[in-house]
Amino acid sequence: MTFQTRAQAERMAQAASPAAAEMPLPAPPHAPLKMPRQRLQAEPGHYRRALAALLFSRLPAALRPNMRRTG
Amino acid sequence: MTPVRSAEQGRAPSPAAARAFALVASLTAATAAGMVFMTYGATDGVSSLDVLRSALIFLSTWWLAWGAATALVGLIARQPPAPRRHAGPVRGKTVVIVPVYNEDPVATFTRIAAMDQSLRALDDPARIDFAILSDTRDPAVAEAETRCFARLLAEQNGTGRMFYRRRSQNTGRKAGNIEAFITTSGAAWDYAIILDADSLMEGATMVEMIRRMEADPALALLQTLPRVIRARSVFGRAMQFAAAFHSPAFARGLATMQGSAGPFWGHNAIVRVRAWAQSCGLPELSGPPPFGGHILSHDSVEAVLLARAGWTVRLDDDLTGSFEEGPENILDHAKRDRRWCQGNLQHTKVLAAPGLLLWSRFALFQGIFAYLAPLLWLGFIAASIAAIPATGQPDYFPLENWPFPVFPNDETPKAIGLAVGIFGLLVMPKLLVGLDAVMTGRARDFGGPRKSLRAVLSELALSSVFAPVLLAFQTRSVLQVLSGRDGGWPVNNRGEGGLTLGESWAAGRWISLLGAAGIAVTHMVAPGLLLWLLPVTGPMLLAPLLICWTSRPARSGQFLVPADRALPPVVALHDAILSDWSRQTTEQQVA
């Protein structure tokens, strides 16, 4: 059933429950929950910094055998 | 709240093995297609157009083969062990949330009444409430909603367990609607079953979902595979049949490959409320729409965010009793697809989000690629037409001082083999699912082996005929998004969708013109390709007729589905309640 026109909506509203329109509607209870914003876009330079950090963390290990050979 | 390790599902094959199989099989097929095309195109020397066409055929074949591999995995991995379920009394409190947006209130609220009755008929005292979250903008529809809700409340004795609220601003659309509910009321419940306005679920299915959530504390989202119901038109019934007959194999393949980083399709799923609140607060993307702003295809992003936080997201395709309604004609399908297209292309901004699982990135990539694939096919067709005049006449005397002609190798069999191979990738999964249904006895639910196989062939023929029309709509959507046009958030039309020839002509004439232009250009530039391109240009030329004809009611008994033999209880309940509400409407109008 496609709901298209205002007239249709009004007919349905009248038919749904003519007497009930004035009744207060129960809203969901107040029980808040925090919903922190998630980070979806990397900050500028994020991946460049991550790559640099990865390379630098590997650097001592990469240099060690050379130092042993030279030492 | 941190997730603990999820229970092993014992699915065979494992997600890693299934992914490896699908990747190797699809890449092998794509490479073979690319190489065969290259040898075919290189008979007169390799041109840049040959390289471009080989690359396009590689990518397009990979996409087709990936779909076929998913179905194969689904067929191989049949009957996984049933997931763990909590057998004792249900402890958690659940809310069924129904976001609505200018939808027909009578149809929506009678669905809620049917689900509530279905739940109350169970001998299982789970605490399940309902919350209707309205984002309706039309005041007349909003007024109708409040009256329908009052009637629902009175008839179902729903005070204290049925709630309604309407936002004054629909910020963030559906995702924002759910977020507003979670942030103001979420702590009152442990689980939330998220539905669409046209969703229906058996009470037993809802309780089973809750039991599975209770059995696995790491499970944050459990997605069901909704079956399409109430289709009447040729298009709707073909889609409904495909969803009922073919989708289980594809869904099982997907579930096997995705493992604990499964999909979320936005509705007919249950979520753990606190995990959701912790992980799914969506930011606005930088820049203006269509790429920036609120995330349209929020469901995929919410699934990958839950997986990023270490939660399990699972698709349990064995859960029956989950239903939705689908578009009844090509235009409504195209309208919905326009929104999905913009939403999926928007994910290009999310692909590089920090901390996502590699599979999650690939899942997002698949969503994007699904909309780029039609452009690749069109690019291939255009490049093939352009390549003909560039080829020129073959040189029969390439060697100096050699009096006899040298005939070029005839590579036509390779071209035919390639076309047959690609066609096979298109139809093979559906034929295999058909054979599997006959062998396992599943075909009985679809009218028996003969009727179901006939329906498989009819659906294949029909979907092949309207594929070029859908391809045209999809291409237009992609081009609109790429050129910066925001499609907004149109209301879904469901139910009766018959179109007149005039409406079909108005909406599809541009496709006819495109088809006619394609035939004219091919005739002028490359007449040899006319026949090869007729399966694409022919349906495009006839687009308005196709749009109109497929929106007409289907023949009785065409595309039989299990719901035609025995109406699911909740659907029958809904029919009865809807008829009762509609009858009273008519009586009051007469009075």
Side-chain angles (χ1 to χ4, degrees), chain A residues 36 38, chain B residues 274-282 302 305-306 308-309 311:
Chain A
Q38 299 298 312
Chain B
R274 279 167 182 79
W276 180 271
Q278 231 176 37
S279 315
C280 297
L282 296 181
E302 285 151 354
L305 285 176
L306 284 167
R308 177 171 83 171
W311 293 98

Side-chain angles (χ1 to χ4, degrees), chain B residues 157-178:
Chain B
N157 199 15
T159 308
R161 55 186 192 87
M162 287 183 170
F163 310 100
Y164 172 89
R165 74 103 172 89
R166 187 162 82 92
R167 292 199 297 171
S168 50
Q169 300 288 323
N170 64 337
T171 315
R173 294 159 174 161
K174 186 178 165 188
N177 191 1
I178 294 173

